[in-house]
Amino acid sequence: MTAPVGSAPVPTPLVARSVLISAAAAGVCAVWAATVWAAVHLRADPLLHDVALFVHLACLIVGFGAVLTVDWLGLLWLLGKRPLTEVLRAADAVHPPIWLGLAGLVGSGMLLHPDPGALLTRVKLGLVLVVALNGLHAWTLQPRLAALPAGGPEPATVSRRARRALVARCASTVLVSQLGWWGATVIGFLNSRR
């Protein structure tokens, strides 16, 4: 591959992006499985349980709050109320709190004595995995969104059909995100009342 005259050559990545994404998804699944296994085998004393509950709630605020922020801005973009560049900047800025919040929720959750035999708990555990994998999917959409034109007429390289498909993927990603986070939160609330 040669670069156009007068431009810097585009470096070839050592590992293809698809391989990195697949490895990240496998890593997420492995961490999830290890955490579920640990939750079944660990028993926290009452003080550690209370600390874990506080950490769990704090991580919910951090992670879900960041998700709500970026999803709200994404909705405003879909409605034509915010520019895409603003949404992408916000998404880039809140990725660390989202992932830290999710990691904290998973880590503290295994000390809260979840009952994997209960149907609601199994649903919640599944929702947590879906949220994490959906987060990886959202991350893969960012470069494609950044390649869209900022405004004005669309160039020939981005067809209307491709743009609509990308917008539909973004909307479905937001929907899965919201259903997953809200579902896990509601189940956590219901389980805490038992």
Side-chain angles (χ1 to χ4, degrees):
M1 170 179 6
T2 60
V5 176
S7 68
V10 177
T12 304
L14 294 175
V15 179
R17 184 172 170 84
S18 61
V19 171
L20 288 175
I21 293 165
S22 297
V28 163
C29 292
V31 167
W32 177 85
T35 304
V36 170
W37 181 89
V40 171
H41 293 89
L42 289 178
R43 286 288 160 220
D45 64 27
L47 177 61
L48 184 56
H49 181 275
D50 288 346
V51 170
L53 180 60
F54 177 81
V55 170
H56 203 70
L57 294 173
C59 289
L60 178 65
I61 292 167
V62 170
F64 195 21
V67 165
L68 287 170
T69 299
V70 76
D71 285 355
W72 174 252
L73 289 172
L75 177 63
L76 292 176
W77 168 66
L78 288 171
L79 296 173
K81 306 285 185 190
R82 289 283 190 273
L84 180 58
T85 54
E86 184 179 329
V87 177
L88 293 174
R89 262 195 314 271
D92 192 48
V94 300
H95 268 161
I98 291 171
W99 286 104
L100 287 172
L102 185 58
L105 283 165
V106 169
S108 61
M110 73 180 167
L111 298 174
L112 295 178
H113 308 268
D115 177 13
L119 177 61
L120 278 180
T121 300
R122 281 190 251 147
V123 171
K124 181 179 179 181
L125 292 172
L127 288 173
V128 169
L129 180 60
V130 167
V131 162
L133 293 173
N134 190 60
L136 282 176
H137 176 69
W139 178 69
T140 67
L141 292 175
Q142 276 192 279
R144 292 184 174 122
L145 286 168
L148 288 177
E154 295 181 27
T157 57
V158 181
S159 71
R160 287 185 192 272
R161 181 181 220 175
R163 184 182 178 104
R164 278 194 304 265
L166 183 57
V167 169
R169 283 180 65 193
C170 290
S172 64
T173 301
V174 168
L175 181 63
V176 168
S177 170
Q178 289 299 308
L179 290 173
W181 280 91
W182 281 110
T185 300
V186 167
I187 292 171
F189 171 74
L190 293 174
N191 281 344
S192 73
R193 296 171 51 92
R194 293 190 176 140

